[in-house]
Amino acid sequence: MPIPTIRWVNGNVRIIDQTKLPGKLQYITCRNVNSLWKAIKNLNVRGAPALGVAAAFGVLLGCKSYKGTNRELFVKHVRKVCDHIGTSRPTAVNLFNALDRMREVLLRHATCAVPKIKKALWREAFAIYENDRRVCRKMGDHGASLIRTNSRIMTICNAGALATADYGTALGVLYSAKRKKKKFKVFACETRPLLQGARLTAWELLRAKIDTTLICDHMAASVMHQGKIDAVFAGADRIAANGDTANKIGTYNLAVLAKHHGIPFYIVAPRSTFDMSIRTGAQIPIEERKPEEVTHWGGRATAPKNVKVYNPAFDVTDHRLITAIVTEKGIIRPPFGKNIRKRFS
Ligand code: MRU
């Protein structure tokens, strides 16, 4: 079930090229900051926790390219690298949290010699990577307690091993439930426009031998109405202090539908996906991506030329639609403002 999505191999960052799945399991080696930046932007590597790891490893690539011994210039160089990586994608806060951790290490070691600072940054990047592996398994175990025997679970986008270092958030819950020998089925929404649900989630779940049915996004209402769904599990890209949650576009649709049909709606996310500096989801920056993602598929136009396009990559689900948030610290229930603060204090 675990899939090593991103790894540090021989001084480079090795990632699964997710744009090639499900057709080919192919890898990309990023040897410098620019190639990693492009891999993030083009979604070769994607998913909030994986972006945190990618950002931290990206800083190590930046360290590698600095050959001098001048401490001030090195610190300046690494700061620039952090700022540059921060321009790749705006919504997943894991990326910024990882960069902040790297900046803090830089600050704490600002009076040390360059090799010592490099070593400290290296340790921090690996701590971020190892932490992701550990917390995903913890969330999986907490979340598995919410899955009843013979449950039918709906999910959207890919919150799996491919979206993290190697295990997943929402899909990690399913992997843990399977390990505990629970029986369940999954309905995966295809997730237009880039089909992370069809291409990645279906691929991952089949690989893990989990009973999976793929549906088009707009079939969700009818499938719920037919009584075929017992719970929805989704990941998150950023959670505000009040519990409002940004995740892949279409997640809000599912939350509204789940409320209407009396189905529990769960978010699964680690501490690194919480942004306690913002009060509500209205403050979450939502990435808008290029029109071609909507007007084309497989290099072919699927819409008339020059049609206007609006392509937000994420939406925000109001905390009042969320039944609970599964974290590595346990399951957080409403009132979210108070309970999130308490859990992470
Ligand atoms: O645009 P993407 O594919 O990076 O969007 C990813 C998602 O929205 C995931 O659901 C989210 O990052 C949670 S991943 C564990």
Side-chain angles (χ1 to χ4, degrees):
M1 281 176 255
I3 302 165
T5 298
I6 176 161
R7 280 197 299 170
W8 182 258
V9 180
N10 298 332
N12 298 308
V13 182
R14 190 166 186 256
I15 55 170
I16 293 181
D17 183 354
Q18 301 193 30
T19 65
K20 297 286 193 304
L21 287 170
K24 282 185 201 147
L25 177 56
Q26 212 167 285
Y27 294 82
I28 294 179
T29 300
C30 300
R31 297 176 199 281
N32 54 50
V33 178
N34 279 342
S35 65
L36 185 84
W37 188 95
K38 276 191 202 139
I40 293 175
K41 187 81 185 166
N42 298 334
L43 312 188
N44 304 103
V45 60
R46 46 145 298 283
L51 293 180
V53 176
F57 283 166
V59 176
L60 299 190
L61 291 176
C63 289
K64 200 177 73 170
S65 68
Y66 185 88
K67 306 283 184 215
T69 53
N70 183 302
R71 179 196 315 139
E72 280 78 30
L73 289 182
F74 176 68
V75 168
K76 223 165 143 181
H77 168 77
V78 177
R79 285 209 178 113
K80 246 169 97 178
V81 167
C82 290
D83 292 348
H84 180 51
I85 295 171
T87 64
S88 56
R89 294 191 75 191
T91 304
V93 76
N94 309 60
L95 184 142
F96 300 96
N97 282 337
L99 291 175
D100 283 349
R101 281 180 63 169
M102 299 301 273
R103 283 193 192 98
E104 262 170 44
V105 168
L106 197 62
L107 198 69
R108 269 205 311 276
H109 293 80
T111 55
C112 301
V114 171
K116 197 162 176 199
I117 310 179
K118 282 190 178 180
K119 211 166 166 187
L121 289 169
W122 200 88
R123 270 202 305 269
E124 189 69 6
F126 276 85
I128 289 169
Y129 168 75
E130 288 301 344
N131 185 60
D132 181 75
R133 301 186 64 220
R134 201 172 44 245
V135 300
C136 282
R137 284 158 177 83
K138 275 196 177 164
M139 286 187 293
D141 288 346
H142 290 307
S145 67
L146 299 169
I147 295 186
R148 288 195 303 270
T149 305
N150 296 324
S151 280
R152 287 116 356 131
I153 313 291
M154 184 172 277
T155 190
I156 183 165
C157 193
N158 172 265
L162 291 165
T164 61
D166 71 349
Y167 194 73
T169 57
L171 300 193
V173 168
L174 305 182
Y175 296 148
S176 294
K178 185 172 164 75
R179 221 186 52 240
K180 291 174 195 281
K181 309 249 181 287
K182 294 201 175 189
K183 287 209 162 48
F184 59 90
K185 291 178 185 201
V186 180
F187 283 81
C189 296
E190 64 175 350
T191 320
R192 275 276 291 157
L194 294 180
L195 305 182
Q196 286 94 330
R199 293 188 303 104
L200 309 176
T201 292
W203 179 81
E204 255 197 71
L205 293 180
L206 291 188
R207 200 170 172 271
K209 300 197 175 7
I210 289 175
D211 183 330
T212 305
T213 304
L214 180 65
I215 58 167
C216 299
D217 300 323
H218 51 275
M219 296 170 186
S222 146
V223 173
M224 286 186 189
H225 182 69
Q226 289 164 30
K228 290 187 171 152
I229 301 300
D230 299 299
V232 178
F233 282 82
D237 283 81
R238 192 184 293 231
I239 303 176
N242 71 345
D244 289 352
T245 294
N247 190 49
K248 180 53 57 195
I249 190 79
T251 305
Y252 175 49
N253 298 34
L254 292 191
V256 172
L257 291 173
K259 184 82 166 180
H260 180 74
H261 293 93
I263 297 167
F265 181 90
Y266 299 114
I267 291 292
V268 187
R271 170 70 181 90
S272 56
T273 303
F274 286 76
D275 184 350
M276 301 303 280
S277 75
I278 58 171
R279 251 176 8 89
T280 77
Q283 292 163 274
I284 299 177
I286 299 295
E287 176 182 12
E288 277 187 44
R289 294 187 60 90
K290 55 185 182 191
E292 290 75 18
E293 291 181 353
V294 177
T295 58
H296 286 69
W297 185 251
R300 209 181 132 224
T302 54
K305 218 174 170 180
N306 301 330
V307 68
K308 284 195 280 184
V309 171
Y310 176 47
N311 184 19
F314 301 94
D315 57 27
V316 176
T317 297
D318 189 298
H319 64 278
R320 287 166 297 191
L321 298 173
I322 299 171
T323 309
I325 306 175
V326 180
T327 73
E328 69 270 36
K329 297 268 185 205
I331 299 170
I332 306 179
R333 294 192 182 268
F336 286 119
K338 187 173 129 220
N339 290 341
I340 291 172
R341 247 191 343 269
K342 220 160 78 186
R343 199 61 67 114
F344 291 132
S345 64

